[in-house]
Amino acid sequence: MGHYADVDWAGDKHDVRVCDQVGEELASATFAHDDKGLRALCRTLLRLKVELVAIERPDGLLVERLLDAGLRVLPMHPKQVAASRARFRAAGGKSDRFDAFVLCELARTDNRRFRVLELDSDQTKALRALTRGREDLAHARVALSNQLRAELERFWPGPIGLFTKLDSPISLAFLERYPSPADARGLGAQRLAGFLARQRYSGHQKPAELLGKLRRAPEGRVGETELSTRRMLVLALVAAIKPLVDQIKQLDGQIATALREHPDGEIFLSLFRDPRSVVTAAELLSEIGDCRARYPTRDALAADAGQAAVAVESGKRKTASFQRACNKRLRGAFCTLADSARHGTPGRKTGTPPPAPAATSTPARCAPSDGRGAGSCGAAGKTGPHTTQPATAACNSISW
């Protein structure tokens, strides 16, 4: 049998502890977070015949180097490690060396309660990078849009409700052309109609109606200097939002292409009635991953997606609370999937059942679940032997 190790990782160094089957320390060292240090770390673990490496993160450069060296990695959630400290101490002290000891002991004595990290395919990791990168850009766009909305409310709220969204291309183009009430003072119905035609406006409101809505909005009482400053701020925010909108649109196209080229792409796309729902389908696929043994039952998948309540029973007290420890990205995708199940097929009258899906020879790995709309992707496809106890299966699938 091999030995056990832990890596208490940090930004510039990593503390490593190696122990044998009975818990005796064999080695303890600190390695720098550079190429030379990571090479030395992997060589040390291989030389000491380490069987399992525990670490408080499931991804990153360090984890990739450990996997490339042929080591088995046991990722643990920081909250699970924090809850285990009381097993090995009476006081409330904490140090990097003590955390390394706790991680190593958990890998030695409780490794059956955790899941060894399984690598996803290169296509799945690339799709995950695209969806998470798009999510970060979308958060930045929302933050800047809220800042732009707040700025307009201070002196000119008219453009806020003029179009559907403040960060839409036509709304940004309008603010770029008319960033202040002084710029829009000479705007008439004919000129606005020309602007709408150039922007390919698809709304149902006539130029006179839009102009009336703009004129009815109140204007702030600001001086010439303040108006010039706020006009400059609006232009700056518009200039910051426009490239984000363009980049998100480009990422949407790349995500759609990557999803359709993925072996499981059509399965996840079939969960949605609207064929344009590629982003949520891609998020589901990338967050669930390729390893079907990761979620042996639908309950394990529902727990990781935050769709299962947390039961608390003590004596006569029985309650159910909201599950907060989950994969937030997977939960958002599941909620979008559940919401989409409430809507009918685009273009079909309400109450008319959608047509039955055509038969396919592809084995379905994901089947829709009950009326809540959450799909189950754990019980189908190739599954490996399940060694985790059922009582802890849902807890062990907590994601970062």
Side-chain angles (χ1 to χ4, degrees):
M1 294 182 63
H3 300 145
Y4 301 93
D6 79 276
V7 179
D8 187 21
W9 68 276
D12 54 352
K13 65 180 181 64
H14 311 294
D15 294 324
V16 178
R17 183 179 185 271
V18 182
C19 66
D20 58 13
Q21 293 83 359
V22 296
E24 293 293 331
E25 183 177 304
L26 301 179
S28 179
T30 300
F31 297 90
H33 185 67
D34 53 24
D35 189 69
K36 182 179 179 181
L38 294 180
R39 288 178 182 272
L41 188 154
C42 294
R43 284 197 302 266
T44 301
L45 297 180
L46 292 174
R47 177 173 54 82
L48 294 175
K49 298 180 180 179
V50 171
E51 176 185 351
L52 205 57
V53 182
I55 187 171
E56 289 184 280
R57 65 176 304 166
D59 53 13
L61 190 148
L62 174 60
V63 174
E64 294 288 343
R65 295 293 291 267
L66 293 173
L67 293 172
D68 288 342
L71 296 163
R72 297 173 66 215
V73 177
L74 193 70
M76 298 182 185
H77 197 279
K79 290 186 177 180
Q80 293 173 320
V81 178
S84 302
R85 292 193 185 108
R87 295 171 51 184
F88 307 100
R89 70 183 180 188
K94 181 185 180 301
S95 65
D96 290 340
R97 289 182 60 83
F98 178 72
D99 286 348
F101 168 77
V102 173
L103 278 169
C104 200
E105 284 298 296
L106 289 176
R108 183 180 69 87
T109 62
D110 294 72
N111 57 75
R112 70 186 184 280
R113 299 182 181 276
F114 302 94
R115 293 192 180 276
V116 177
L117 184 63
E118 297 287 345
L119 274 178
D120 290 322
S121 65
D122 187 59
Q123 285 180 297
T124 301
K125 291 193 291 186
L127 188 61
R128 185 182 301 125
L130 284 173
T131 55
R132 292 186 177 183
R134 183 195 181 280
E135 182 184 18
D136 294 338
L137 290 181
H139 288 166
R141 181 195 63 189
V142 171
L144 288 172
S145 298
N146 291 338
Q147 188 175 351
L148 176 60
R149 180 185 300 272
E151 186 63 36
L152 289 172
E153 287 176 346
R154 293 187 180 100
F155 79 109
W156 193 35
I160 294 178
L162 198 61
F163 303 102
T164 305
K165 295 182 180 179
L166 189 59
D167 57 0
S168 62
I170 188 172
S171 183
L172 294 175
F174 182 84
L175 289 174
E176 191 175 31
R177 177 64 181 85
Y178 307 104
S180 70
D183 295 289
R185 191 164 293 133
L187 180 63
Q190 186 175 358
R191 184 176 297 180
L192 182 59
F195 170 83
L196 297 177
R198 290 192 298 271
Q199 298 297 324
R200 298 180 180 180
Y201 175 66
S202 58
H204 301 290
Q205 299 189 66
K206 297 180 179 180
E209 297 176 352
L210 293 174
L211 190 61
K213 184 186 298 185
L214 185 67
R215 296 286 186 243
R216 287 193 300 269
E219 293 186 15
R221 292 295 181 257
V222 295
E224 184 178 350
T225 303
E226 183 182 359
L227 180 63
S228 176
T229 302
R230 295 195 180 281
R231 179 182 183 276
M232 180 185 63
L233 289 174
V234 169
L235 289 174
L237 289 170
V238 170
I241 296 173
K242 286 187 68 175
L244 286 176
V245 173
D246 295 338
Q247 291 301 319
I248 290 173
K249 185 177 180 180
Q250 292 183 19
L251 284 177
D252 288 343
Q254 295 175 9
I255 289 172
T257 302
L259 179 63
R260 293 188 174 94
E261 292 177 353
H262 195 281
D264 294 338
E266 292 300 324
I267 298 175
F268 283 85
L269 282 172
S270 66
L271 298 175
F272 297 87
R273 293 188 176 96
D274 191 347
R276 297 170 297 178
S277 302
V278 293
V279 175
T280 306
E283 289 176 344
L284 285 170
L285 194 160
S286 61
E287 297 301 329
I288 290 174
D290 298 326
C291 181
R292 297 298 176 255
R294 185 178 302 164
Y295 303 111
T297 64
R298 59 187 295 174
D299 293 335
L301 179 60
D304 197 17
Q307 306 299 308
V310 178
V312 180
E313 182 176 355
S314 178
K316 296 182 179 180
R317 178 173 175 266
K318 297 181 180 180
T319 61
S321 59
F322 181 74
Q323 181 174 348
R324 302 186 183 278
C326 66
N327 186 335
K328 305 300 189 299
R329 295 184 177 91
L330 185 58
R331 182 173 67 187
F334 262 67
C335 291
T336 304
L337 174 61
D339 181 70
S340 68
R342 302 186 302 109
H343 305 286
T345 305
R348 183 173 294 274
K349 295 181 179 180
T350 304
T352 306
T360 175
S361 59
T362 305
R365 294 184 180 177
C366 301
S369 72
D370 52 15
R372 292 176 298 179
S376 174
C377 302
K382 296 182 179 179
T383 59
H386 177 49
T387 59
T388 304
Q389 297 179 2
T392 60
C395 298
N396 295 339
S397 60
I398 295 174
S399 298
W400 283 257

